[in-house]
Amino acid sequence: MTTEVLDVPAYDRYELRVGGDLAGYALYQRTDGVVSVLHTEVEPEYEGRGLGSVLARGVLDGIRAAGESVLPRCPFLRRYLQRHDGYADLVPAADRARFGLAAPA
């Protein structure tokens, strides 16, 4: 199973592709180097395979590579960040507490 996560600015979303097919997406708003992730979704036929985590990791890696920060307004992405503190530095320090995140080590 080949997976990739692509930023698609024309649709304001990151897309998760499995074998070239759209398997999920994360909707966002991008303003001045801050990406507010609003909603993530994995298509029903792809659920239960850990692809939500693949999508979250791809989104966060893409944001890091672009030198941007993230506001995890989406509950799924927020929970992912709470469990994977290696990404907490992507959330502006002033916003970490309101998203339930500890300061990065």
Side-chain angles (χ1 to χ4, degrees), residues 7-9 12 14 28-36 62-63 66 68:
D7 186 6
V8 185
D12 294 324
Y14 281 87
Y28 64 75
Q29 290 177 332
R30 180 176 273 134
T31 306
D32 299 326
V34 179
V35 181
S36 294
I63 289 169
E68 297 173 308

Side-chain angles (χ1 to χ4, degrees), residues 85 88-89 96 101-105:
D85 60 359
D89 64 307
R96 289 181 194 141
L101 302 171

